[in-house]
Every structure is written in structure tokens, then in C-alpha cells.
Amino acid sequence: MNWKAHKQLNQLFNEGETSSEILEISLVQRWQEMDFLERINKKKVSKTNLYDSVYTKELLQQFNSFENLLIINNLTETNFKEEELSALLRIQNDKEEILITGKSQKEIATLYFHSAKYLTRGTILYNAILKVLDVSELPVDEHDQQFLWVLHCKTKSPKAIIFCENDNQIRKPRLNEVELWYAGGRNTAKLKFVVEPTIPFYYLCDWDNRGIEIYQDIKKNIFPNIQILIPQDPIKLYNIESKWKTKIDYSLFSNEAKQLLEKLIPEKWIEEESINHNMLLR
């Protein structure tokens, strides 16, 4: 059953009637055969005097738990399957342990939905889990929390290193003399175990709240010598999707970077994948 069906059965309990489409469910078909409910006409069914006792015993508590979960998290307009609702309840109950252990998207999918591939970013279910856990995203992969991805350059002797916020560049062909690093978005704590490069070292990112926040954190707390990679012409500006909220520490930026930030804030941003730079030429 899905949430809509649960609501209809509860409506039958409280109001005595509901839509006859509920008869498509095998459980309800059995209940009809056992005279717990009966069809009024093509569009409606009504309960008999036997319905309340069986509904109270088998489904009322579950309905109340589901409804409470959805109301608290502002998810009442969704129509999750019963097994998904049960999983969300378990995630809610396990919230503290999930956050403390830093469970990844695949781990949560495996533990609560029985398949590592069950969850997809951007889906209604994925966003519901974010609400239940009160987080902005789930770690993509448990390995991203521990390992640094490196795309070595063709010459094997890099003249510079570019650390990328996103994985776009690292999935392209190797550069001649530039080594590419990728840690997985905000998953930068692992960098504390990496020796700071002595060759020129740059951060390639979206010029938006998230990208600038990550850059500032890295430069302040991990790699003081890293510099943000400044896009070269042509620079493609996009209308901002999320209002600028990041507090900019201008002491961490070169004059050229400050000038670019002045062009962006408060209405524009730059997407990493659109950034042009000679060091990225293949």
C-alpha cells in the first residue's frame, strides 16, 4: 500500500465511507470478502460494524506513526510506499547514530531499503531523508570520506596541482603538466593528512556559496598556500540560484579574485564546469 491508500482506510474508519478505488488493494479485497466493508456504488465503499475493530487492531497505530512523521517533516503531500514510510520511521529513530557514524547514501540505501542503488539524489524520497536527518546532503560514498582521488599528469612531474570541488575535470583526459585532485565536495577533512604541495596549488570550484565556503575553509584550516583558480575570458555568469549568504573573508583572495566577486555578488555565480583556464587546456 501507499500513503494515499492508508489515508483512505483511515477516512473509512473516521467517516464511514471512502473511494472504491481502495478495492484495488489485495488486503482490502480480503476485508470485503470478510464483510468488513461493502460497496455502496461504483465510486464509494462503506464500512460495516466489523471494520473498526480490525482496522484499530491492524493499521491504526501504523497510520498514526506515518502521519506524525510526515507532518513533522512537512511531507504530507507525498505518496510514499508503505515500506518507504517504514524505512523513514526507522531512519528517524536512528537519526543520531546515522549522523555520528557519517553513514553514506549507499549505506543508508542498503540498510533501510535493501539496495545500494535504491536512492537517487534529487528524488522526493532522497529529499525526504534529508528532512528527516536535518542535513543538506548525504555523503555520496563511504570511500569519499577517506580517499583522495588523483589524476596524475602525462609527464609524471606536475608543475601545478588543481584541487577540484566537483569531479568534472577528473573524468576527462589527463593534462600534460597539471595534476588534478578531487575529494568529494565538502569532504575535505581527509586533507589534514596530506602534505601541502610545494608547487603552485589552486582550488577550482563553483563561485557560489558552497564553493567559496569550501575554499575559505581549506585556505584557513588546511592549506594556507592554496589559491582560488580565477576564470579567464570568456567568463560565463549565471543568475544566482541561492542568494549569497557566505561571509567573504577578502584577506584570502587576490585583488583579481576580489574584483570578480564584486561582479558576482549579490545576483550572479559561476559554474565550475564553465570555467576557462590555460592550465585546463587539453
Side-chain angles (χ1 to χ4, degrees), residues 81-119:
K81 301 174 186 176
E82 182 176 305
E83 54 267 30
E84 292 172 337
L85 290 167
S86 296
L88 287 171
L89 276 175
R90 288 163 48 220
I91 290 171
Q92 178 177 261
N93 292 335
D94 297 346
K95 176 179 178 179
E96 184 176 356
E97 190 268 341
I98 291 171
L99 296 178
I100 289 175
T101 57
K103 284 191 168 43
S104 70
Q105 177 180 326
K106 287 183 178 179
E107 287 177 312
I108 290 173
T110 300
L111 287 170
Y112 297 95
F113 301 97
H114 310 298
S115 171
K117 297 180 179 180
Y118 197 90
L119 289 180

Coordinates of all heavy atoms in Angstrom, one line a residue, residues 81-119:
K81 N 5.5 4.6 -0.7 CA 5.0 3.3 -0.4 C 5.1 3.0 1.1 O 5.9 3.6 1.8 CB 5.9 2.3 -1.2 CG 5.9 2.5 -2.7 CD 6.9 1.5 -3.3 CE 7.1 1.8 -4.8 NZ 8.2 0.9 -5.4
E82 N 4.4 2.0 1.5 CA 4.4 1.6 2.9 C 5.8 1.3 3.4 O 6.2 1.7 4.5 CB 3.4 0.5 3.2 CG 3.3 0.1 4.6 CD 2.3 -1.0 4.8 OE1 1.1 -0.8 4.4 OE2 2.6 -2.1 5.4
E83 N 6.5 0.5 2.6 CA 7.9 0.1 3.0 C 8.8 1.3 3.1 O 9.7 1.3 3.9 CB 8.4 -1.0 2.1 CG 8.4 -0.6 0.6 CD 7.2 -1.1 -0.1 OE1 6.1 -1.2 0.5 OE2 7.3 -1.4 -1.4
E84 N 8.6 2.3 2.2 CA 9.4 3.5 2.3 C 9.0 4.3 3.6 O 9.9 4.9 4.2 CB 9.2 4.4 1.0 CG 9.7 3.7 -0.2 CD 9.3 4.5 -1.5 OE1 8.3 5.2 -1.5 OE2 10.1 4.3 -2.5
L85 N 7.8 4.4 3.9 CA 7.4 5.1 5.1 C 8.0 4.4 6.4 O 8.4 5.1 7.3 CB 5.8 5.1 5.2 CG 5.1 6.0 4.2 CD1 3.6 5.7 4.2 CD2 5.4 7.5 4.5
S86 N 7.9 3.1 6.4 CA 8.5 2.3 7.5 C 10.0 2.6 7.6 O 10.5 2.7 8.7 CB 8.2 0.8 7.3 OG 6.9 0.6 7.3
A87 N 10.7 2.7 6.4 CA 12.1 2.9 6.4 C 12.4 4.3 6.9 O 13.4 4.6 7.7 CB 12.7 2.8 5.0
L88 N 11.6 5.3 6.5 CA 11.8 6.7 7.0 C 11.6 6.8 8.5 O 12.3 7.5 9.2 CB 10.8 7.6 6.3 CG 11.1 8.0 4.9 CD1 9.9 8.7 4.2 CD2 12.4 8.8 4.7
L89 N 10.6 6.0 9.1 CA 10.5 5.9 10.5 C 11.7 5.4 11.2 O 12.1 5.9 12.2 CB 9.3 5.1 10.9 CG 7.9 5.7 10.8 CD1 6.8 4.7 11.1 CD2 7.8 6.9 11.8
R90 N 12.3 4.3 10.6 CA 13.5 3.8 11.2 C 14.7 4.7 11.1 O 15.5 4.8 12.1 CB 13.8 2.4 10.5 CG 12.8 1.3 10.9 CD 12.9 0.1 9.9 NE 14.3 -0.3 9.7 CZ 14.7 -0.7 8.5 NH1 13.9 -0.7 7.5 NH2 16.0 -1.1 8.4
I91 N 14.7 5.4 10.0 CA 15.8 6.4 9.9 C 15.6 7.5 10.9 O 16.6 8.0 11.5 CB 15.8 7.0 8.4 CG1 16.3 6.0 7.4 CG2 16.6 8.3 8.4 CD1 16.1 6.4 6.0
Q92 N 14.4 7.9 11.1 CA 14.1 9.0 12.2 C 14.5 8.5 13.5 O 15.2 9.2 14.3 CB 12.6 9.3 12.2 CG 12.2 10.3 13.2 CD 10.8 10.7 13.2 OE1 10.4 11.7 12.6 NE2 9.9 9.8 13.7
N93 N 14.2 7.2 13.9 CA 14.6 6.7 15.1 C 16.1 6.5 15.3 O 16.7 6.6 16.4 CB 13.9 5.3 15.3 CG 12.4 5.4 15.5 OD1 11.9 6.4 15.9 ND2 11.7 4.4 15.1
D94 N 16.8 6.3 14.2 CA 18.3 6.0 14.2 C 19.1 7.3 13.8 O 20.3 7.2 13.6 CB 18.6 4.9 13.2 CG 18.0 3.6 13.5 OD1 17.5 3.4 14.7 OD2 18.0 2.7 12.7
K95 N 18.4 8.4 13.8 CA 19.0 9.7 13.3 C 20.3 9.9 14.0 O 21.3 10.2 13.3 CB 18.0 10.8 13.6 CG 18.6 12.2 13.2 CD 17.6 13.3 13.4 CE 18.2 14.7 13.1 NZ 17.2 15.8 13.4
E96 N 20.4 9.9 15.3 CA 21.7 10.2 16.0 C 22.8 9.3 15.6 O 23.9 9.8 15.3 CB 21.4 10.2 17.5 CG 22.7 10.6 18.3 CD 22.4 10.6 19.8 OE1 21.2 10.4 20.2 OE2 23.3 10.9 20.6
E97 N 22.5 8.0 15.5 CA 23.6 7.1 15.1 C 24.0 7.2 13.7 O 25.2 7.1 13.4 CB 23.0 5.6 15.4 CG 24.1 4.5 15.3 CD 24.2 4.0 13.8 OE1 23.3 4.1 13.1 OE2 25.3 3.4 13.5
I98 N 23.1 7.5 12.8 CA 23.4 7.8 11.4 C 24.3 9.0 11.2 O 25.3 8.9 10.5 CB 22.1 8.0 10.6 CG1 21.3 6.7 10.5 CG2 22.4 8.5 9.2 CD1 19.9 6.8 9.9
L99 N 24.0 10.0 12.0 CA 24.8 11.2 11.8 C 26.2 11.1 12.5 O 27.2 11.5 12.0 CB 24.1 12.4 12.5 CG 22.8 12.8 11.8 CD1 22.1 14.0 12.5 CD2 23.0 13.2 10.3
I100 N 26.2 10.4 13.6 CA 27.5 10.2 14.3 C 28.5 9.4 13.5 O 29.7 9.7 13.4 CB 27.3 9.6 15.7 CG1 26.6 10.6 16.7 CG2 28.6 9.1 16.3 CD1 26.2 10.0 18.0
T101 N 28.0 8.3 12.9 CA 28.8 7.4 12.1 C 29.0 7.9 10.7 O 29.8 7.3 10.0 CB 28.2 6.0 12.1 OG1 26.9 6.1 11.6 CG2 28.2 5.4 13.5
G102 N 28.3 9.0 10.3 CA 28.5 9.5 8.9 C 28.1 8.6 7.8 O 28.8 8.4 6.8
K103 N 27.0 7.9 8.0 CA 26.6 6.9 7.0 C 26.4 7.5 5.6 O 25.8 8.6 5.5 CB 25.4 6.1 7.5 CG 25.7 5.1 8.5 CD 24.6 4.2 8.8 CE 25.0 3.0 9.6 NZ 25.9 3.3 10.8
S104 N 26.9 6.9 4.6 CA 26.8 7.4 3.3 C 25.4 7.1 2.6 O 24.6 6.3 3.2 CB 27.9 6.8 2.4 OG 27.6 5.4 2.1
Q105 N 25.2 7.7 1.5 CA 23.9 7.4 0.7 C 23.8 6.0 0.4 O 22.7 5.4 0.6 CB 24.0 8.2 -0.6 CG 22.8 8.0 -1.5 CD 22.9 8.8 -2.8 OE1 23.4 9.9 -2.8 NE2 22.4 8.3 -3.9
K106 N 24.8 5.3 0.0 CA 24.7 3.9 -0.3 C 24.5 3.0 0.9 O 23.7 2.1 0.9 CB 26.0 3.4 -1.0 CG 26.1 3.9 -2.5 CD 27.4 3.3 -3.1 CE 27.5 3.8 -4.6 NZ 28.7 3.3 -5.2
E107 N 25.1 3.4 2.0 CA 24.9 2.6 3.3 C 23.5 2.8 3.7 O 22.9 1.8 4.2 CB 25.9 3.2 4.3 CG 27.3 2.7 4.1 CD 28.3 3.3 5.2 OE1 28.2 4.5 5.4 OE2 29.1 2.6 5.7
I108 N 22.9 4.0 3.7 CA 21.6 4.2 4.1 C 20.6 3.4 3.2 O 19.7 2.8 3.7 CB 21.2 5.7 4.1 CG1 22.0 6.4 5.3 CG2 19.7 5.9 4.3 CD1 21.9 7.9 5.2
A109 N 20.9 3.5 1.9 CA 20.0 2.7 1.0 C 20.1 1.2 1.2 O 19.0 0.6 1.2 CB 20.5 3.0 -0.5
T110 N 21.2 0.7 1.5 CA 21.4 -0.7 1.8 C 20.7 -1.1 3.1 O 20.0 -2.1 3.2 CB 22.9 -1.1 1.8 OG1 23.4 -0.8 0.6 CG2 23.0 -2.6 2.1
L111 N 20.9 -0.3 4.1 CA 20.4 -0.7 5.5 C 18.9 -0.5 5.6 O 18.3 -1.3 6.2 CB 21.1 0.2 6.5 CG 22.6 -0.1 6.9 CD1 23.1 1.1 7.7 CD2 22.7 -1.4 7.6
Y112 N 18.4 0.5 4.9 CA 16.9 0.8 5.1 C 16.0 0.5 3.9 O 14.8 0.4 4.1 CB 16.8 2.3 5.5 CG 17.5 2.6 6.8 CD1 18.8 3.1 6.9 CD2 16.8 2.4 8.1 CE1 19.4 3.4 8.1 CE2 17.5 2.6 9.3 CZ 18.7 3.1 9.3 OH 19.4 3.4 10.5
F113 N 16.7 0.3 2.8 CA 15.9 0.0 1.6 C 16.4 -1.3 0.8 O 15.9 -1.5 -0.3 CB 15.9 1.2 0.6 CG 15.3 2.5 1.3 CD1 16.2 3.4 1.8 CD2 14.0 2.7 1.3 CE1 15.7 4.5 2.4 CE2 13.5 3.9 1.9 CZ 14.4 4.8 2.5
H114 N 17.3 -2.0 1.4 CA 17.8 -3.3 0.9 C 18.5 -3.2 -0.4 O 18.7 -4.3 -1.0 CB 16.6 -4.3 0.9 CG 15.9 -4.3 2.2 ND1 16.4 -4.7 3.4 CD2 14.6 -4.0 2.5 CE1 15.5 -4.6 4.3 NE2 14.4 -4.2 3.8
S115 N 18.9 -2.1 -0.9 CA 19.6 -2.0 -2.2 C 20.4 -0.7 -2.2 O 19.9 0.4 -2.0 CB 18.7 -2.0 -3.4 OG 19.5 -1.7 -4.6
A116 N 21.7 -0.8 -2.5 CA 22.6 0.4 -2.5 C 22.2 1.3 -3.6 O 22.5 2.5 -3.6 CB 24.1 -0.1 -2.7
K117 N 21.4 0.9 -4.6 CA 21.0 1.7 -5.7 C 19.6 2.3 -5.6 O 19.1 2.9 -6.5 CB 21.1 0.9 -7.0 CG 22.5 0.4 -7.4 CD 22.6 -0.4 -8.7 CE 24.0 -0.9 -9.0 NZ 24.0 -1.7 -10.3
Y118 N 19.0 2.0 -4.4 CA 17.6 2.5 -4.3 C 17.5 4.0 -4.2 O 16.5 4.5 -4.7 CB 17.0 1.9 -3.0 CG 15.5 1.9 -2.9 CD1 14.8 0.8 -3.4 CD2 14.8 3.0 -2.4 CE1 13.4 0.8 -3.4 CE2 13.5 3.0 -2.4 CZ 12.7 1.9 -2.9 OH 11.4 1.9 -2.8
L119 N 18.4 4.7 -3.7 CA 18.3 6.1 -3.5 C 19.0 6.8 -4.7 O 20.2 6.5 -5.0 CB 19.0 6.6 -2.2 CG 18.2 6.2 -0.9 CD1 19.0 6.7 0.3 CD2 16.8 6.8 -0.9

